[in-house]
């Protein structure tokens, strides 16, 4: 496969992918906007770049365009548009060009740096896990990243059951640009998505009151430190989109609460409202339970605009807000119409056990001080005027999770963050004074300067990947074999596939290993916890030639165990490897 720049190595094209996903489209858009507030301006650049990329990948699939050629054309058009706008501003010598710059306050620098330091400690396990890295053998590998690879080919993932696709479309861009299935740059985009919203939101909030900024960082750091269950903790470093959705929703709510108008609705408050709406729209486009928050904020924006703004301003703000949410909804419907099947997530627990299990999960993962804070927020939200509009989405979100999604806590992450932040927001709103910045040291910084700095930072942080294509591909192949169930199982599986053996696997990770792709026709997956199906029994009985089976004996359904034992006896299969609770049966050489 060819990359974005055909003669460039994967590493260079990966850097270009990151800059496109997070910077280039937004740089063009923001030239048309008068936003001198530095953190707001760069929040808009960040969010609008992500949003355009999501829409572009969706349109490429809908219109059957070639993904690589489309991105080349769009990139060239964006760069040309940027150059034309810059040239026109310079030609207007009567007025200075301020459209490509923003005002940075000394406090902006302090809060931005401080938030990165706090996140550095909060994400200790992420750095310990390793960056750069690839996706482990989990839902991220067997579902989300598989969908991203399908998007990168200009196709809809028709077997994705209706799961929102914002994250897969973002990762797809890295595969389109690099022309490679190596996951390093997709993982880098995940790291940016769990850092940038919090850092930028903290800086925006600090311009309102330092207490809001401190509350956001305090609640998030405490929340991450609270999680006790090892598996749930591991989802943060393994790239689960649930964290992206939770962070975007949390930042969106915090930003809107802090900037909610009280008797006036100025330009910065309107900008903050649209930023928060964009954050929550992306959260809903990642995990649908945040859609109620998007709807609540959209309604509140329209109500506030009607109450505080003149007709022209009111019309523009409402039109932009409705247009933004409608665009995300249209992108989802376009994808939804191409699905081959639809379903809700399955909760394996009996209905009578779901509420007790939900309570047990909360108690086992969080200490009583954090639970008190979170439930205090949930209890007070209907009765405090400044946050009352959050009551319906928050309460319904908790109830829906307890009823339908309480098999684990991933779908509750954002709701817990929002609920725990409410008491602090109420106290801050009651006692906080508006930040005074008139006498603060400030600088006028051009967008191009900041963008160049971002580019240099990208190069520095991705230097471990600065190698030739062959070395990078070999590194990726070696790391893939070490992930999932581990090299102890993946290496003998590779040998069996190379010998022409078929394998029935209870683990889906092997289907995602790039080195195994030439042997996809030899691999079959089965759900080991479910009763035996006629299809699986038929496939096992009718398989010919060399056969191998990988399964966890202690967790496999008895009906499937019986068929596996019968097949092993009939085919002379013996245990080759036992590792991490999995057994690999294969014939002797």
């Amino acid at each position: 496969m060819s990359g974005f720049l055909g003669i460039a190595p994967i590493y260079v094209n990966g850097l270009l992918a990151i800059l496109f996903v997070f910077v280039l489209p937004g740089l063009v858009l923001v030239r048309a906007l008068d936003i001198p507030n530095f953190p707001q301006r760069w929040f808009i650049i960040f969010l609008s770049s992500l949003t355009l990329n999501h829409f572009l990948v969706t349109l490429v699939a809908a219109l059957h365009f070639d993904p690589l050629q489309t991105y080349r054309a769009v990139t060239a058009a964006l760069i040309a548009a940027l150059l034309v706008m810059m040239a026109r501003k310079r030609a207007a010598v009567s007025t200075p060009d301020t459209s490509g710059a923003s005002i940075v306050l000394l406090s902006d620098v302090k809060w931005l740096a401080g938030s990165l330091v706090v996140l550095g400690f909060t994400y200790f396990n992420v750095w310990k896990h390793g960056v750069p890295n690839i996706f482990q053998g989990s839902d991220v590998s067997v579902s989300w990243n598989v969908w991203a690879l399908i998007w990168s080919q200009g196709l809809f993932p028709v077997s994705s059951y209706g799961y929102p696709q914002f994250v897969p479309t973002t990762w797809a861009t890295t595969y389109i640009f690099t022309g490679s299935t190596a996951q390093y740059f997709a993982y880098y985009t995940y790291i940016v998505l769990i850092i940038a919203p919090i850092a930028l939101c903290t800086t925006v909030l600090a311009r309102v009151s330092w207490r809001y900024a401190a509350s956001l960082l305090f609640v998030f750091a405490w929340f991450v430190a609270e999680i006790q269950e090892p598996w749930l903790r591991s989802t943060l470093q393994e790239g689960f989109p649930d964290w992206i959705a939770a962070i975007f929703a949390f930042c969106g709510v915090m930003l809107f609460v802090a900037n909610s108008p009280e008797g006036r609705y100025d330009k910065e408050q309107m900008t903050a409202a649209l930023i928060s709406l964009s954050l929550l729209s992306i959260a809903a486009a990642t995990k649908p339970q945040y859609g109620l928050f998007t709807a609540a904020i959209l309604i509140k924006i329209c109500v506030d605009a009607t109450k505080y703004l003149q007709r022209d301003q009111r019309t523009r703000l409402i039109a932009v807000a409705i247009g933004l949410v409608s665009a995300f909804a249209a992108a989802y419907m376009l994808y939804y119409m191409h699905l081959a099947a639809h379903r809700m997530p399955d909760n394996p627990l009996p209905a009578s056990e779901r509420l007790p299990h939900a309570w047990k999960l909360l108690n086992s993962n969080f200490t009583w001080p954090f639970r008190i804070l979170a439930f205090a927020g949930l209890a007070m939200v209907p009765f405090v005027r400044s946050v009352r509009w959050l009551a319906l989405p928050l309460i319904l979100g908790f109830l829906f999770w307890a009823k339908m999604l309480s098999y684990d806590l991933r779908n509750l992450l954002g709701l817990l963050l929002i609920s725990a932040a409410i008491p602090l927001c109420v106290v801050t709103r009651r006692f906080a004074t508006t930040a005074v910045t008139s006498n603060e040291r400030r600088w006028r910084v051009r967008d191009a300067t900041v963008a160049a700095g971002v580019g240099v930072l990208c190069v520095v942080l991705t230097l471990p990947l600065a190698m030739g294509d062959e070395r990078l591909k070999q590194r990726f192949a070696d790391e893939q074999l070490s992930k999932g169930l581990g090299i102890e199982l993946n290496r003998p599986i590779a040998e069996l596939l190379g010998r022409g053996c078929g394998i029935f696997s209870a683990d889906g990770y092997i289907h995602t290993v790039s080195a195994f792709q030439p042997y996809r026709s030899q691999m079959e997956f089965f759900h080991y916890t479910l009763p035996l199906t006629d299809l699986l029994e038929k496939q096992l009985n009718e398989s010919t030639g060399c056969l191998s089976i990988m399964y966890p004996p202690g967790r496999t359904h008895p009906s499937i165990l019986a068929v596996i034992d019968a097949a092993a006896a009939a085919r002379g299969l013996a245990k080759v490897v036992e590792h991490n609770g999995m057994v690999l049966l294969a014939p002797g050489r």
Side-chain angles (χ1 to χ4, degrees):
M1 293 173 63
S2 175
F4 183 79
L5 297 178
I7 60 172
I10 291 173
Y11 172 69
V12 172
N13 285 324
L15 286 175
L16 295 176
I18 292 173
L19 292 174
F20 185 95
V21 168
F22 296 115
V23 178
L24 179 59
L27 273 181
V28 177
L29 172 67
V30 83
R31 295 282 303 191
L33 305 175
D34 180 22
I35 303 175
N37 181 313
F38 172 78
Q40 285 193 347
R41 186 177 186 88
W42 275 89
F43 223 151
I44 290 173
I45 290 173
F46 172 74
L47 293 172
S48 57
S49 296
L50 282 169
T51 300
L52 183 140
N53 181 77
H54 174 60
F55 295 158
L56 183 57
V57 172
T58 305
L59 286 174
V60 164
L63 300 176
H64 307 292
F65 288 163
D66 179 271
L68 182 58
Q69 298 303 330
T70 301
Y71 266 88
R72 285 171 173 169
V74 170
T75 302
L78 288 171
I79 293 174
L82 187 60
L83 293 175
V84 168
M85 286 189 286
M86 292 172 64
R88 285 183 175 178
K89 287 293 183 181
R90 287 175 182 172
V93 293
S94 57
T95 58
D97 179 12
T98 59
S99 61
S102 56
I103 303 300
V104 181
L105 303 179
L106 179 60
S107 60
D108 294 338
V109 178
K110 291 179 179 178
W111 277 102
L112 186 60
S115 65
L116 293 175
V117 171
V118 172
L119 289 174
F121 286 104
T122 303
Y123 290 153
F124 172 79
N125 285 335
V126 176
W127 318 134
K128 184 180 178 181
H129 177 69
V131 180
N133 216 314
I134 65 173
F135 301 121
Q136 302 277 17
S138 61
D139 285 353
V140 182
S141 293
V142 301
S143 296
W144 297 93
N145 190 63
V146 170
W147 300 335
L149 290 169
I150 294 172
W151 282 110
S152 72
Q153 299 166 26
L155 303 171
F156 287 99
V158 296
S159 299
S160 51
Y161 299 112
Y163 282 87
Q165 295 291 303
F166 179 84
V167 170
T169 56
T170 301
W171 291 347
T173 307
T174 65
Y175 299 128
I176 294 171
F177 269 70
T178 61
S180 166
T181 58
Q183 298 165 3
Y184 298 110
F185 293 99
Y187 188 82
Y188 267 121
T189 63
Y190 169 76
I191 296 298
V192 175
L193 288 170
I194 63 173
I195 290 177
I198 296 176
L200 288 169
C201 191
T202 300
T203 313
V204 173
L205 290 173
R207 287 211 178 188
V208 181
S209 170
W210 67 267
R211 290 179 176 85
Y212 281 119
S215 296
L216 183 145
L217 291 176
F218 173 73
V219 169
F220 185 74
W222 187 14
F223 175 77
V224 174
E226 279 278 321
I227 298 173
Q228 305 297 315
E229 185 184 350
W231 176 80
L232 187 60
R233 292 184 68 87
S234 71
T235 59
L236 178 59
Q237 58 258 30
E238 290 182 10
F240 276 71
D242 307 81
W243 284 98
I244 297 172
I247 288 168
F248 273 70
F250 177 49
C251 291
V253 169
M254 287 289 293
L255 195 59
F256 196 81
V257 170
N259 286 274
S260 184
E262 287 187 347
R264 65 186 182 89
Y265 209 8
D266 61 29
K267 185 178 178 180
E268 288 195 354
Q269 288 175 316
M270 287 187 282
T271 303
L274 291 175
I275 292 173
S276 65
L277 184 64
S278 180
L279 285 164
L280 280 155
S281 296
I282 289 175
T286 304
K287 301 292 287 187
Q289 63 264 33
Y290 301 108
L292 285 175
F293 288 94
T294 307
I297 282 189
L298 175 61
I299 294 170
K300 187 68 164 56
I301 287 174
C302 294
V303 170
D304 288 340
T306 303
K307 185 175 180 180
Y308 296 113
L309 298 179
Q310 299 296 322
R311 180 176 179 180
D312 290 345
Q313 283 185 312
R314 177 173 67 242
T315 302
R316 285 196 299 269
L317 180 60
I318 292 176
V320 172
I322 294 176
L324 176 65
V325 175
S326 299
F328 274 99
Y332 179 78
M333 291 306 300
L334 196 58
Y335 142 74
Y336 192 83
M337 289 188 297
H338 289 81
L339 292 176
H342 317 83
R343 75 175 186 191
M344 289 288 291
D346 298 322
N347 191 333
L349 296 171
S352 61
E353 297 180 15
R354 292 177 185 178
L355 285 176
H357 182 72
W359 182 248
K360 182 180 177 181
L361 275 179
L362 287 171
N363 285 336
S364 63
N365 273 283
F366 301 100
T367 60
W368 64 264
F370 188 87
R371 295 201 304 271
I372 288 175
L373 183 67
F375 285 115
L378 190 62
M380 71 170 57
V381 68
F383 307 105
V384 180
R385 185 170 62 87
S386 60
V387 293
R388 190 176 297 155
W389 51 273
L390 288 174
L392 186 62
L394 195 58
I395 293 171
L396 287 180
F398 269 92
L399 292 175
F400 182 75
W401 171 78
K403 181 67 175 176
M404 301 297 299
L405 305 173
S406 56
Y407 44 83
D408 63 48
L409 281 170
R410 285 177 299 163
N411 294 295
L412 196 66
L413 297 175
L415 300 177
L416 282 170
L417 281 167
I418 292 168
S419 184
I422 285 175
L424 300 182
C425 287
V426 171
V427 172
T428 297
R429 194 170 180 85
R430 175 67 179 83
F431 296 104
T433 56
T434 304
V436 178
T437 61
S438 57
N439 298 323
E440 191 173 343
R441 190 175 180 184
R442 63 190 63 208
W443 302 269
R444 181 174 173 271
V445 181
R446 299 192 64 81
D447 295 341
T449 304
V450 180
V454 171
V456 171
L457 186 63
C458 286
V459 172
V460 172
L461 295 178
T462 58
L463 276 178
L465 297 178
M467 60 185 74
D469 287 358
E470 293 306 315
R471 282 185 60 199
L472 188 64
K473 291 176 181 178
Q474 187 59 52
R475 171 176 172 166
F476 175 59
D478 293 341
E479 288 196 35
Q480 272 202 312
L481 289 177
S482 69
K483 304 295 184 182
L485 296 172
I487 193 70
E488 294 82 359
L489 280 163
N490 289 330
R491 183 173 289 160
I493 288 171
E495 294 174 359
L496 288 167
L497 291 172
R499 287 166 49 190
C501 294
I503 180 168
F504 285 80
S505 172
D507 180 73
Y509 178 75
I510 65 170
H511 295 261
T512 71
V513 177
S514 296
F516 297 166
Q517 295 312 299
Y519 311 108
R520 285 190 65 87
S521 61
Q522 297 169 223
M523 297 186 289
E524 295 290 345
F525 172 77
F526 64 92
H527 294 279
Y528 61 90
T529 59
L530 302 179
L532 177 70
T533 63
D534 293 338
L535 176 60
L536 176 59
E537 186 174 20
K538 180 180 178 182
Q539 289 173 329
L540 280 169
N541 291 335
E542 295 182 356
S543 61
T544 58
C546 177
L547 172 68
S548 57
I549 304 173
M550 184 171 67
Y551 68 106
R555 293 174 288 159
T556 301
H557 195 276
S559 61
I560 295 180
L561 280 176
V563 172
I564 290 177
D565 291 342
R571 300 290 190 94
L573 305 182
K575 184 193 300 182
V576 177
V577 180
E578 183 171 0
H579 181 69
N580 280 344
M582 298 290 284
V583 166
L584 177 61
L585 303 179
R589 289 184 179 274

